[in-house]
Amino acid sequence: MMGIKESGLQFVTDIENAVIASRADMMQGLEDVTHRINGVANNLKEFKAEVKAELAQFKDDLAEVRTEVAEVRTEVAEVRTEVAEVRTEVAEVKTEVTEVKTEVTEVRTELTEFKASQTEFNTTAMEILIDLQRRIPA
């Protein structure tokens, strides 16, 4: 059997061992938490690097898209200019066609007048010839 003194010493020793074990557990827990924190920090660093890389790629892609949009806008402006030029040319051609139609109508009118005049001349010439034949003794 143990005496009070020995029991007290054993009790204090048990408490001391429990405190040491508790501290060891606490240190192990802190070390585990530290490892987890470091793991999360490393994961965050990797994620941040990936996000930065993707953002840089996005910026490059966006710059390319903006360049392509600018080129398309330039091409659209050029096409609009060409369309305006073609419309102007079509309007000029329509005007020329109208002028030619007018000239053709005038020529037809003159031709009709000429034919009428020719017919009248032929008729008058025949009348004169007939009149001359009647006047000339045979």
Side-chain angles (χ1 to χ4, degrees):
M1 268 200 136
M2 280 198 226
I4 288 187
K5 194 176 186 188
E6 292 168 351
S7 290
L9 281 174
Q10 184 62 43
F11 179 70
V12 169
T13 299
D14 288 344
I15 290 176
E16 184 180 14
N17 286 340
V19 167
I20 290 172
S22 175
R23 282 187 181 170
D25 289 346
M26 215 166 58
M27 291 303 283
Q28 184 62 42
L30 287 174
E31 189 175 323
D32 289 346
V33 168
T34 301
H35 286 299
R36 286 184 181 179
I37 289 172
N38 288 339
V40 168
N42 289 337
N43 288 343
L44 282 175
K45 286 178 186 175
E46 289 174 12
F47 180 71
K48 183 179 176 182
E50 289 174 11
V51 168
K52 280 186 177 181
E54 288 182 20
L55 184 59
Q57 183 62 45
F58 176 76
K59 286 180 180 178
D60 290 344
D61 293 345
L62 182 60
E64 288 179 23
V65 167
R66 285 183 175 160
T67 300
E68 290 175 9
V69 166
E71 290 172 358
V72 167
R73 285 182 177 163
T74 300
E75 290 174 8
V76 166
E78 290 172 358
V79 167
R80 285 182 177 162
T81 300
E82 289 176 11
V83 166
E85 291 171 358
V86 167
R87 285 181 177 165
T88 301
E89 290 175 8
V90 166
E92 291 172 358
V93 168
K94 283 182 178 179
T95 301
E96 289 176 11
V97 166
T98 302
E99 290 172 358
V100 167
K101 284 181 178 179
T102 302
E103 289 177 12
V104 166
T105 302
E106 290 173 359
V107 167
R108 284 182 178 164
T109 302
E110 289 175 5
L111 184 59
T112 302
E113 290 173 358
F114 175 76
K115 284 180 179 178
S117 175
Q118 186 68 34
T119 302
E120 184 182 325
F121 173 78
N122 288 343
T123 303
T124 304
M126 284 302 267
E127 288 173 355
I128 292 173
L129 285 174
I130 290 171
D131 189 43
L132 282 176
Q133 280 181 349
R134 284 185 195 155
R135 291 185 187 183
I136 300 178

